[in-house]
Amino acid sequence: MKKLNVQKGRKLSRDAQKNISGGGLELQACASGCYDRYFSDGQGNCLVPPCSAPNFGSEIKEVDGRWKCCY
């Protein structure tokens, strides 16, 4: 029984390593809308986690003067 548990633990470890290294991750679709917290490239493109490149949004200045990242 202990050997079986160790083998399952090793398999889980390999799967976890695959996901951590990015091998198991897929590009995530970004929900449409505007977000306050985002990363900017300084050229009008922005990125909201968990979105990943090339899913860039556009920086837009709202009426109240605040910048948002919109998709």
Side-chain angles (χ1 to χ4, degrees), residues 2 15 18 25-26 36 44 48-49 52 55 58 62-63 66 68:
K2 286 185 180 183
D15 289 341
K18 182 179 174 185
L25 298 177
E26 298 178 11
D36 293 331
V48 177
S52 57
N55 294 325
S58 300
E62 295 286 318
V63 176
R66 295 182 182 180
K68 294 188 177 189

Side-chain angles (χ1 to χ4, degrees), residues 1-18:
M1 188 67 172
K2 286 185 180 183
K3 187 175 183 180
L4 182 62
N5 288 339
V6 170
Q7 287 175 344
K8 285 183 180 179
R10 286 183 185 155
K11 183 175 184 345
L12 179 62
S13 178
R14 274 188 243 123
D15 289 341
Q17 288 176 1
K18 182 179 174 185

Side-chain angles (χ1 to χ4, degrees), residues 23-58:
L25 298 177
E26 298 178 11
L27 292 178
Q28 294 189 1
C30 301
S32 61
C34 295
Y35 303 89
D36 293 331
R37 296 177 185 231
Y38 60 91
F39 299 108
S40 173
D41 68 354
Q43 298 176 359
N45 298 316
C46 54
L47 190 65
V48 177
C51 301
S52 57
N55 294 325
F56 292 106
S58 300

